[in-house]
Amino acid sequence: MIIIMKLNAAETAVSQVEEKLKALGKECNISRGIQRTVIGAIGDETDIDVEALEAISDVDRVVRVMKPYKIVSREAHEQDTIVDVSGVPIGGNTIQIIAGPCSVETPEQMSSAAESVVAAGCRLMRGGAFKPRTSPYAFQGAGVDGLKMFREAAQPHSLPIVTELMDVRMLDTFLEHGVDLIQIGTRNMQNFDLLKAVGRTHTPVILKRGMSATISEWLMAAEYIAAGGNHNIIFCERGVRSFETAYRNMLDVTAIPVLKRETHLPVIVDPSHAGGKTWMVPALSRAAIAAGADGLLVEMHPRPEEAWCDADQALSPVQLNELMIELGGIAKVLGRSL
Ligand code: PEP
Ligand code: MN
């Protein structure tokens, strides 16, 4: 960390900074110019409070040298990490498409969806049993019964299941039901207690981007999970709030290369909650994979017009098949497999 003093800073202020850093066990390298003194603090930066240093009079500014996200940063781990989800790899050379309905509705709907997911060539299935709905009067999800329905539908196909955890009190139930991949939704990206709780498990986690979160806040949220010991984290870009009203959210395609540079962890994209309309999903999916995403989280319903939730953005089984064929072509050009 570098502490830059104001022009002609008082020697007492320089000593104050030095004492503060030494109390934290840091070695100081003081460089005195004609007008300005610069202090280099040597050692781990994570326990240094930048604001407390900047509050000292005559400190101009404090500059970090290391990334504040220690474990998830590429600085810490140069190679791409592959997250193993019950035997299915996410990250690396393979692109994984996670498909399934927005919400778990009935056993029939789930078994039909599972068949279509497998028939399209997807190796993981999604479905929400606990739904974060804008209106308290809208369908809130089938709850624990939904987890059971999901497990039963996925079992015959050995499909790992992906489902959203909203409440820390449901974590044990998720683990008892063998949820293979826990989804943290956009509204909970900074629910730090929830992040700490999933960080204490070994179950892989999809961390969706908060709808107004910066990439740096998102990386720090992932660091919460990693700091607890769970490094099985997958980032999911799902669109951010913007001024535009022609679609649900603005898919931040730029975030894909930025994240791939900043972190070694896999990055996937949810084109369904970005566009918010079925007809946009193929174009956004192609853009995501072409930009380097490691996979997609996409909504597909056996009969979209009858879906209990997000009916207007679900692909039909036929549309999912067509999308998989298109993405296979893009993957080939990129030298990746689907
Ligand atoms: C979902 O994937 O079911 C969902 C609710 O997404 P988000 O958290 O991105 O809105
Ligand atoms: Mn949905």
Side-chain angles (χ1 to χ4, degrees), residues 138-151:
F139 174 56
Q140 303 287 304
V144 178
D145 286 345
L147 291 181
K148 289 187 191 136
M149 276 186 239
F150 197 173
R151 255 279 60 101

Side-chain angles (χ1 to χ4, degrees), residues 102 126 128 131-132 164 183-187 208-209 238 248 270 273 297 299 310:
C102 178
R126 65 150 287 149
K131 296 302 304 173
E164 179 168 353
Q183 179 176 323
I184 302 292
T186 191
R187 295 158 189 82
K208 285 195 150 194
R209 181 183 189 170
R238 48 79 71 202
R248 193 167 174 181
D270 174 346
H273 292 88
L297 180 71
E299 290 187 344
D310 285 348

